[in-house]
Amino acid sequence: MAMDPEIAALLTELGLDGPEPAEPPTAAEMRNATRAFALALATTPPIEVGAVADDRITGVPVRIYRPEGEGAVPTVVHFHGGGFVGGDLDTHDGICRRLCRDLTAVVVSVAYRLAPEFPFPAGFDDCVAVTSHICDHITDYGGGNLAVAGDSAGGNLAAGVALAFRDEGRPLAAQFLAYPGTDLSDKADHRSLTENADGYALTTAEINRIKRLYLTDLPAAADGAPASPLRADSHEGLPPAVIGCAEFDPLRDEGLAYADALLAADVVVDKHVFPGLVHGFLHLAGRSQAAEAATARLIGEFGELLRA
């Protein structure tokens, strides 16, 4: 299938439909580009929710979104995308507001430490620490079921937290992984890395730079979990998952492979590859009917798992 025409026009408008630049960007330039991309697509005015407040949990900056109304509701701990190098509480504000509204859930967005200043496992450790604190103090948050969610690098982190919680015997009701990177190993040979190498916003060359920046101190960590959730020794006993991938995404096949690994371990999975879409489509819901339909479906299925 061809790329969704609304997305194709948007990528052209933003200059993201071509090959890699001749001079690879620095980490700071990658970070600025991620922020500019997300903020250019932000919903105006912002989606209204009950309350929004910035705070710190275990020393990590967070933004807490609370829905309208009273009573117990689910809690979703959200980890933003941005290749472990970029992304912040602002770049994913719109996504978190939508999760809060559509799920009637408390959403805690985590500003984990970023590479290259803080390479693996610093950011992952932040995500585990925040989610563990919330689990231990759930009545201070939603008071209902606890789940994790993330897109791209955030999907990697959410999957890693789910593995850590399983190993520690901690409860999680569900995990929502949008176009996740699940295999950071140099051994990765997923077909989509070649098939969708450039021209679709995220490039395979960029993925390789991200791996080097994130795993600077521990490159061998990519051969196992949590850096590469796909390479975990076992996927048994993990919480149900919603996994959504895009047809024109270099990360497509490792996301689908992770869904298959969970299914092989008898984990309940809603698995999708959306035709015509590209990496980052949650951000594009306001500019593409196809991206909106995919986003609504994924959030709807995630909500069903939260309340199962």
Side-chain angles (χ1 to χ4, degrees), residues 140-205:
D140 295 336
Y141 300 94
N145 285 335
L146 175 64
V148 292
D151 69 315
S152 192
N156 171 290
L157 293 165
V161 170
L163 285 162
F165 263 48
R166 178 206 58 188
D167 293 345
E168 295 174 5
R170 289 177 173 271
L172 275 182
Q175 50 184 324
F176 172 23
L177 315 178
Y179 35 89
T182 66
D183 188 2
L184 305 188
S185 174
D186 288 339
K187 301 171 186 175
D189 60 353
H190 307 285
R191 182 166 55 94
S192 57
L193 289 168
T194 301
E195 191 174 278
N196 299 324
D198 56 49
Y200 303 112
L202 177 67
T203 68
T204 297

Side-chain angles (χ1 to χ4, degrees), residues 60 66 68 102 111 144 224 294 298:
V60 180
R66 297 184 184 273
E68 299 280 0
D102 292 3
L298 293 173

Side-chain angles (χ1 to χ4, degrees), residues 34 40 80 101 121 129 133 166 184 214 231 254 259-260 264 270 279:
T34 297
H80 65 74
R101 182 197 66 185
H133 176 89
R166 178 206 58 188
L184 305 188
Y214 183 52
R231 295 179 180 270
E254 62 194 78
D260 289 341
D270 292 318
H279 190 83

Side-chain angles (χ1 to χ4, degrees), residues 116 119 205-217:
E206 184 177 2
I207 291 168
N208 290 333
R209 282 198 301 276
I210 285 166
K211 291 178 182 179
R212 290 192 295 271
L213 291 170
Y214 183 52
L215 299 168
T216 300
D217 294 343

Side-chain angles (χ1 to χ4, degrees), residues 57 75 77 108 129-139 141 146:
I57 296 176
T75 300
V77 186
V108 181
V130 170
T131 312
S132 297
H133 176 89
I134 292 170
C135 181
D136 293 340
H137 301 84
I138 195 66
T139 56
Y141 300 94
L146 175 64

